[in-house]
């Protein structure tokens, strides 16, 4: 059985999503308690755009191992894609509970809270992410989105500038910077 799991993991690492999905579906039938296999199956489904199936597999992963923080984190992202924001918030909080230093989970929680209109909590989560890792471009970008929704355009522009400086190829941050500068009446950048 381990060779089947190893082959599935190799396919997953190589980006052969269909192959990984097929191998992992067969593996999970006989090894239903393997949290990593369910997590990997969830990743394969998500990369194939099968978000409902991904959510189901990732939920199985966390039911097998409640402290599987990558599964909680990925499930949170998938639930956001499905528009199930409150459930995403819960899953991301579980990821943070399992690993409090998980910067990406704090950032993604901030974004999910923003989508839920809970701007104060979103800012708090994003500030925590940036306290853990000040050069996390995505956290600066998510904070810019929080500020933009609150019409704090100068603060949003500052966060976008930081995100772009940290990650020059970050297209969404460049785009958002243009949007907030337009809202400020600035058009030079």
């Amino acid at each position: 059985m381990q060779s089947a799991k190893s082959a599935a993991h190799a396919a997953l690492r190589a980006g052969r999503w269909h192959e990984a999905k097929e191998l992992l579906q067969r593996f999970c039938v006989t090894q239903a308690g393997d949290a990593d296999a369910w997590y990997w199956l969830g990743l394969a489904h998500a990369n194939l755009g099968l978000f409902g199936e991904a959510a189901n597999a990732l939920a199985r992963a966390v039911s097998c191992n409640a402290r599987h923080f990558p599964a909680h984190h990925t499930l949170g992202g998938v639930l956001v894609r499905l528009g199930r924001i409150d459930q995403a918030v819960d899953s991301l909080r579980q990821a943070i509970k399992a690993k409090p230093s998980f910067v990406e989970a704090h950032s993604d929680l901030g974004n999910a809270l923003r989508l839920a209109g809970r701007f104060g909590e979103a800012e708090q989560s994003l500030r925590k992410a940036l306290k853990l890792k000040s050069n996390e471009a995505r956290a600066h970008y998510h904070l810019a989105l929080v500020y933009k929704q609150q019409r704090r355009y100068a603060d949003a522009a500052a966060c976008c500038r930081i995100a772009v400086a940290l990650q020059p190829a970050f297209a969404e941050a460049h785009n958002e910077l243009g949007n907030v500068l337009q809202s400020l009446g600035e058009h030079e950048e």
Side-chain angles (χ1 to χ4, degrees), residues 117-182:
R118 295 158 59 182
F119 301 123
E121 291 175 79
E123 184 175 358
Q124 184 178 22
S125 185
L126 292 161
R127 292 267 175 225
K128 175 69 175 178
L130 292 169
K131 183 177 180 185
L132 291 168
K133 186 177 175 188
S134 64
N135 65 344
E136 180 63 29
R138 188 150 295 275
H140 285 285
Y141 170 70
H142 286 155
L143 189 55
L145 296 176
V146 169
Y147 290 149
K148 180 185 174 193
Q149 283 192 262
Q150 295 175 308
R151 300 187 195 293
R152 294 170 56 186
Y153 298 120
D155 292 331
C159 289
C160 284
R161 284 184 177 109
I162 294 168
V164 166
L166 291 169
Q167 194 174 328
F170 194 165
E172 294 105 326
H174 280 282
N175 186 53
E176 205 54 54
L177 178 58
N179 290 336
V180 294
L181 289 174
Q182 186 175 11

Side-chain angles (χ1 to χ4, degrees), residues 1-29:
M1 265 300 146
Q2 278 309 108
S3 64
K5 185 177 178 183
S6 297
H9 192 228
L12 192 70
R13 284 191 322 266
R16 298 189 313 266
W17 312 120
H18 287 286
E19 178 185 347
K21 179 182 80 117
E22 296 300 323
L23 290 168
L24 288 161
Q25 283 176 322
R26 286 194 299 271
F27 183 83
C28 288
V29 168

Side-chain angles (χ1 to χ4, degrees), residues 12-66:
L12 192 70
R13 284 191 322 266
R16 298 189 313 266
W17 312 120
H18 287 286
E19 178 185 347
K21 179 182 80 117
E22 296 300 323
L23 290 168
L24 288 161
Q25 283 176 322
R26 286 194 299 271
F27 183 83
C28 288
V29 168
T30 60
Q31 301 295 317
D34 190 317
D36 286 334
W38 285 109
Y39 168 63
W40 296 340
L41 180 58
L43 289 176
H45 282 305
N47 280 289
L48 290 168
L50 305 170
F51 298 112
E53 292 88 340
N56 292 337
L58 293 162
R60 289 289 299 267
V62 298
S63 73
C64 293
N65 178 358

